[in-house]
Amino acid sequence: MPEARTPAQIEADIAHRRGELALTLDEIGVRLHPSTIIGDAKAKVTSKVDQTAGRACAAAGRIVADVRAQFVTDEGVPRLERIIPAAMLAVGVVGLLAASRRRRS
């Protein structure tokens, strides 16, 4: 059979529960404060941007490596049979763009 509690024990329990409830309400207030919500949202967005930028950087690195492999051998020797046609194509495109600009002017 449980022992009967004294009024002092009951009052102490009530005071303890009030303290716990006050802490819980303070924590809820902090979590629901607009600056906390905004800070959490900023952190999530920053994390997503960092992840996206990291993926983009890795993809760019792979593309550069693939293009480099087309124009340079594994030993680092230039592949002239690919470089010369690509350079001629680039010069032709630049020439066409320059001629197009002159016609507009």
Side-chain angles (χ1 to χ4, degrees):
M1 184 175 238
E3 292 182 28
R5 296 180 344 158
T6 65
Q9 289 173 326
I10 294 172
E11 288 176 8
D13 278 350
I14 291 172
H16 179 72
R17 296 283 180 179
R18 279 188 186 143
E20 287 179 345
L21 181 59
L23 289 174
T24 302
L25 290 174
D26 287 345
E27 185 177 334
I28 290 171
V30 168
R31 287 185 183 180
L32 294 178
H33 194 276
S35 63
T36 304
I37 293 170
I38 290 169
D40 290 347
K42 283 182 182 177
K44 286 180 184 177
V45 168
T46 301
S47 174
K48 278 291 188 190
V49 167
D50 288 346
Q51 288 176 353
T52 303
R55 280 190 231 127
C57 186
R62 284 191 300 272
I63 290 169
V64 167
D66 290 346
V67 169
R68 184 179 187 278
Q70 295 297 316
F71 295 102
V72 179
T73 65
D74 291 338
E75 295 82 30
V77 177
R79 294 181 177 179
L80 295 179
E81 70 277 4
R82 292 186 179 173
I83 292 174
I84 292 172
M88 292 175 74
L89 179 66
V91 168
V93 168
V94 169
L96 287 173
L97 290 173
S100 172
R101 263 192 192 203
R102 278 192 224 143
R103 286 184 188 165
R104 287 185 192 169
S105 298

